Amino acid sequence: MPSYPPEPFRIKVTESIRLIPAKEREARLQEAGYNVFSIKAEDIFIDMLTDSGTGAMSQDQWAALMRGDESYAGARSFYYLKAAVEDIFGFKHFVPTHQGRAAENILSAVLVKPGNSIPSNMHFDTTDANIRARGGRPTNLVIDRAFDTADHHPFKGNMDIGKLEAFIEETGVETIPFGMVTITNNAGGGQPVSMENLKAIAQVYRKHKIPFFIDSARYAENAYFIKLREKGYENKPVIEIAREMYGLADGMTMSAKKDAIVNIGGLLCMNDENLFQQVKNELILREGFPTYGGLAGRDLEAMAVGLYEGLDEAYLAYRLAQTAYLAERINTAGIPTIQPAGGHAVYLDAQAVLPHIPQAEFPGQALAVELYREGAIRGVEIGSVMFAHPDPDTGKMVHPKLELLRLAIPRRTYTQSHLDYVADCLVRIKERASTIRGYKFSYAPELLRHFTARFDPV
Ligand SMILES: Cc1ncc(COP(=O)(O)O)c(C=O)c1O
């Protein structure tokens, strides 16, 4: 069992949580149409739905809120954030956005035309949906080993460079307005991308004059994995690893709700002047003036502080060890998770826990429901509910390769005993796994259906 590192912080403010009785949990599930997104947060005991915007801010971030300059244009807080963004990422231009998907929306609105393709290792759901909403085709070209949940490859988020070359050749550069990579690869288990792979991706995109954008939600965790696992980076400060990564790219989208440890915020950065002009126009239409981009001045201020805290190496060491600890405890209970443990979350192989439930009956969803039923714990399905879609050519349902339940760990929020409680609940679920049933939709919207779908037990 990996040792659980002492938290590199002490707790100054607390928030009570309450475990409601089993009968009430059952009623809440029924009211929610068996979709844990529809359960009130106060009826959740341990909330592992997401690590997005759910972290605890530091005393310095709270102090920064008070310094927020709420001027409509040219706020001091914007220039404070600008200095941090330039220092860490080094792009010539940037705009704040209210969160990551707003950056994706603006980039897609400006660059994606119907029929275009956007390659990546794996697009996250909001990126996928924003590209599709503009008539584009998001294409996932992660290495095949990413789909072997037991494989301990240290950089399972890597893009398959051969597949990327072949894809560009087949599709034609003229239909690829930009290319991406997601670090870490959330949809594939929070797995990192190596510096070597980032360099190879950049080289291919550059050769074909395809602008290279990095989806950077968990860039600091990715940089720390590089430090831990890639030869030559052992002694390099994480901030320098980050600078090296971004030196390879033409721009980035970022949900600051992850590694900038804020409750709301995002970034869209780029080097191209012409693109920046178009982005600003679209931003003004959708989000706000370019020096606040849909955020309050205080949010910009907290983000600037959080960007540096997210790169703190004592914090990152604790963070990645916390995830590894939970994964190890779950594995010891006989439940497989994606190996090795990702940065921000543990991904349970729901198909392996519930082999009797077919993909069309959503094994990941069934496990999510069961975890709430057992211990009022909330996770999220990352499988067929989220990603199955009709093939645009044949209309046939295409299921994802993996049926997962993701337990994301909010930053600086839960302690070891919370994680032990989660593991203990999973042990009990494993014991009665064969009695658990699948689900079918009673309602499902066309895009991003996992958020609002309702289910009936099969
Ligand atoms: C890799 C990745 N990209 C983009 C997003 C979207 O960010 P937001 O939720 O801030 O819109 C997320 C959110 O989870 C993500 O994990």
Side-chain angles (χ1 to χ4, degrees):
M1 186 79 58
S3 65
Y4 188 94
E7 283 80 3
F9 51 83
R10 53 186 178 171
I11 297 166
K12 190 179 262 186
V13 177
T14 63
E15 180 182 1
S16 295
I17 50 175
R18 178 177 73 106
L19 177 60
I20 61 170
K23 226 170 115 195
E24 281 184 41
R25 301 202 289 271
E26 201 56 50
R28 296 297 93 79
L29 275 173
Q30 280 178 25
E31 289 156 15
Y34 298 93
N35 185 343
V36 291
F37 276 99
S38 299
I39 296 177
K40 282 187 188 159
E42 64 179 12
D43 293 329
I44 310 281
F45 189 47
I46 308 287
D47 203 345
M48 305 183 89
L49 184 67
T50 177
D51 62 322
S52 179
T54 54
M57 290 209 297
S58 68
Q59 59 180 3
D60 291 337
Q61 286 178 295
W62 282 107
L65 290 184
M66 291 304 297
R67 292 195 299 267
D69 174 356
E70 304 303 340
S71 304
Y72 188 95
R76 188 180 57 241
S77 302
F78 171 78
Y79 291 100
Y80 186 38
L81 176 63
K82 184 171 190 283
V85 169
E86 280 171 4
D87 180 36
I88 298 167
F89 305 108
F91 294 111
K92 290 193 189 122
H93 308 290
F94 94 102
V95 292
T97 59
H98 79 273
Q99 56 185 90
R101 73 197 67 185
E104 294 157 10
N105 176 32
I106 288 162
L107 190 66
S108 300
V110 172
L111 292 182
V112 179
K113 305 279 173 289
N116 282 177
S117 292
I118 288 79
S120 186
N121 50 350
M122 284 175 90
H123 293 279
F124 192 62
D125 59 353
T126 57
T127 328
D128 184 287
N130 267 303
I131 293 166
R132 284 183 201 279
R134 304 280 165 186
R137 292 184 180 205
T139 306
N140 296 334
L141 302 170
V142 73
I143 54 170
D144 289 339
R145 287 175 69 180
F147 299 107
D148 178 353
T149 54
D151 191 327
H152 277 261
H153 189 299
F155 291 104
K156 268 169 117 172
N158 280 357
M159 183 118 90
D160 185 322
I161 301 299
K163 277 191 211 165
L164 178 62
E165 289 272 25
F167 177 78
I168 296 171
E169 187 77 21
E170 249 168 56
T171 317
V173 276
E174 60 291 348
T175 64
I176 306 178
F178 62 98
M180 295 190 84
V181 70
T182 309
I183 60 172
T184 57
N185 181 20
N186 185 4
Q191 300 291 327
V193 177
S194 70
M195 188 71 84
E196 187 187 16
N197 193 248
L198 287 169
K199 285 181 184 164
I201 296 165
Q203 201 180 11
V204 173
Y205 285 147
R206 201 178 313 118
K207 187 172 83 186
H208 295 283
K209 299 197 168 50
I210 297 169
F212 175 22
F213 278 76
I214 301 182
D215 178 342
S216 306
R218 301 178 183 82
Y219 80 100
E221 290 170 10
N222 199 94
Y224 198 70
F225 274 124
I226 288 175
K227 185 178 175 101
L228 291 180
R229 296 181 183 170
E230 194 161 348
K231 211 165 167 284
Y233 290 92
E234 306 82 349
N235 300 317
K236 198 162 181 174
V238 169
I239 192 165
E240 281 182 29
I241 297 176
R243 287 178 185 135
E244 187 176 336
M245 298 192 307
Y246 288 98
L248 300 166
D250 300 299
M252 68 176 219
T253 57
M254 179 173 174
S255 168
K257 299 167 72 176
K258 285 81 171 175
D259 278 356
I261 327 185
V262 282
N263 304 120
I264 198 75
L267 296 170
L268 174 56
C269 305
M270 71 230 78
N271 285 328
D272 187 90
E273 177 72 38
N274 184 34
L275 176 63
F276 182 50
Q277 281 306 329
Q278 295 177 64
V279 161
K280 277 198 289 190
N281 295 340
E282 188 68 21
L283 187 89
I284 290 168
L285 187 65
R286 309 272 172 207
E287 294 275 301
F289 192 72
T291 60
Y292 74 86
L295 292 170
R298 56 181 172 269
D299 299 325
L300 305 176
E301 199 88 19
M303 202 197 302
V305 175
L307 278 169
Y308 287 106
E309 289 184 3
L311 287 166
D312 178 84
E313 300 197 11
Y315 155 75
L316 283 166
Y318 141 79
R319 169 112 183 117
L320 300 190
Q322 198 185 32
T323 320
Y325 173 83
L326 179 62
E328 181 78 28
R329 276 229 46 198
I330 294 173
N331 297 154
T332 309
I335 297 179
T337 58
I338 291 187
Q339 297 296 339
H344 66 294
V346 178
Y347 293 70
L348 283 67
D349 183 346
Q351 192 69 86
V353 184
L354 304 169
H356 56 287
I357 300 180
Q359 283 191 289
E361 293 175 10
F362 309 130
Q365 185 64 20
L367 194 55
V369 169
E370 221 47 41
L371 197 54
Y372 182 76
R373 184 173 274 139
E374 180 65 40
I377 298 157
R378 177 155 68 173
V380 65
E381 189 257 20
I382 298 192
S384 284
V385 175
M386 197 179 266
F387 285 123
H389 63 275
D391 183 289
D393 300 324
T394 65
K396 227 181 118 203
M397 216 50 178
V398 185
H399 288 276
K401 294 201 172 113
L402 301 175
E403 297 292 340
L404 303 168
L405 174 70
R406 187 189 76 176
L407 299 180
I409 306 185
R411 291 168 181 75
R412 309 188 290 208
T413 302
Y414 293 118
T415 63
Q416 179 177 7
S417 54
H418 291 121
L419 300 189
D420 283 336
Y421 171 81
V422 173
D424 292 343
C425 287
L426 281 163
V427 170
R428 290 195 290 277
I429 291 172
K430 175 80 165 71
E431 283 162 7
R432 57 179 165 79
S434 63
T435 65
I436 295 168
R437 289 182 294 163
Y439 287 83
K440 60 180 193 297
F441 284 125
S442 57
Y443 163 74
E446 198 188 331
L447 286 176
L448 295 174
R449 57 191 188 172
H450 53 289
F451 289 122
T452 54
R454 294 181 67 84
F455 301 87
D456 286 326
V458 172

